[in-house]
Amino acid sequence: MGKAIEIRHPLIIHKLSFIRDKNTPSKNFRELVEEVAMLMAYEVTRDMKMETVEIETPICKMESKRITGKKVAIVPILRAGLGMVEGMLKLIPAAKVGHIGLYRDEKTLQPVEYFCKLPKDIEERDIILTDPMLATGGSAIDAITILKKKGARSIKLMCLIGSPEGVDAVREAHPDVNIYLASIDEKLNEEGYIVPGLGDAGDRLFGTR
Ligand code: PRP
Ligand code: URA
């Protein structure tokens, strides 16, 4: 079974409180989502492999460490996952970015795929799939299935807020995928929204509705 890792850091908790607040305007919401994604990226990349290299400081030679191993692909689930990409690229600027377009049918809550464009060497990369919201888990489960069909072998899921139901559903459907979240909230309501959550992430990011 994959792990569900809640990243509890005062900076993340503080910023998330403003993200959740319904009075936070889209401009600030966007900036805060980007900042939290950057802070979370620090933890999500903690297991990156390192190699020893010999360098020379102005004083002497020394053995130092640099990141090695597989390259990273960041894959946002459109639309709302886009809000997390820039923050992550600040820490991992060499990462390539793929896109998976999915939306939840408002009546059935089932995800509908409408776009997929991934880096060619996706099977060689460590993939970080981003979406602020993990509600029923349907979108994330489908996105991971799409990635695996395209050859992906190493996938992490990174969300701001998850419901216990969504976390369990992803862990059951894809036991090889670890999930990183800023918060696991209380529950889902009858409309499939996370409680207390933050509302509709896509609409709040892009000012729609
Ligand atoms: C939201 C969110 C997730 C999905 C989560 O996207 O960004 O992708 O819902 O719900 P689930 O876990 O029940 O599948 P939405 O479908 O509203 O599309 P949008 O990002 O284009 O607004
Ligand atoms: N999608 C959202 O944007 N918010 C929720 O609470 C659930 C699904």
Side-chain angles (χ1 to χ4, degrees), residues 17-135:
S17 152
F18 286 97
I19 291 173
R20 289 183 189 276
D21 190 332
K22 68 175 185 182
N23 295 314
T24 299
S26 278
K27 175 183 178 293
N28 303 50
F29 186 91
R30 268 196 302 275
E31 289 167 0
L32 287 159
V33 169
E34 185 181 322
E35 287 168 15
V36 170
M38 185 175 75
L39 294 169
M40 289 179 74
Y42 187 80
E43 193 59 37
V44 174
T45 53
R46 183 176 282 285
D47 61 353
M48 276 180 156
K49 301 228 170 5
M50 313 234 34
E51 66 180 349
T52 304
V53 291
E54 189 165 303
I55 59 163
E56 200 167 349
T57 76
I59 311 299
C60 64
K61 286 189 175 168
M62 70 171 285
E63 286 194 341
S64 184
K65 299 263 187 201
R66 291 199 179 148
I67 289 168
T68 181
K70 288 205 273 180
K71 301 209 166 69
V72 172
I74 302 164
V75 180
I77 301 179
L78 306 180
R79 292 175 297 166
L82 280 176
M84 300 167 78
V85 173
E86 283 304 316
M88 301 198 58
L89 284 173
K90 288 212 166 95
L91 286 196
I92 323 167
K96 288 199 174 162
V97 182
H99 297 86
I100 295 180
L102 290 176
Y103 70 86
R104 270 199 333 174
D105 181 281
E106 284 184 6
K107 289 211 179 70
T108 64
L109 299 184
Q110 290 305 307
V112 182
E113 183 187 341
Y114 60 89
F115 187 76
C116 180
K117 182 88 183 163
L118 301 172
K120 279 203 181 68
D121 56 352
I122 197 74
E123 66 282 352
E124 306 293 334
R125 290 182 177 261
D126 285 326
I127 298 164
I128 305 174
L129 180 65
T130 67
D131 193 330
M133 308 307 280
L134 178 61

Side-chain angles (χ1 to χ4, degrees), residues 151-187:
R153 285 179 296 198
S154 161
I155 305 169
K156 290 173 179 167
L157 173 63
M158 181 174 153
C159 304
L160 294 192
I161 301 179
S163 71
E165 296 90 330
V167 167
D168 288 348
V170 172
R171 292 179 73 205
E172 202 154 297
H174 295 291
D176 55 319
V177 173
N178 288 340
I179 312 168
Y180 296 80
L181 308 111
S183 173
I184 301 175
D185 275 10
E186 203 183 310
K187 59 175 184 184

Side-chain angles (χ1 to χ4, degrees), residues 104 133 135 192-194 199-201:
R104 270 199 333 174
M133 308 307 280
Y193 278 88
I194 300 175
D200 187 304

Side-chain angles (χ1 to χ4, degrees), residues 136-153:
T136 63
S139 303
I141 289 170
D142 276 21
I144 295 167
T145 303
I146 292 167
L147 286 169
K148 286 182 175 172
K149 278 192 188 145
K150 302 268 182 191
R153 285 179 296 198

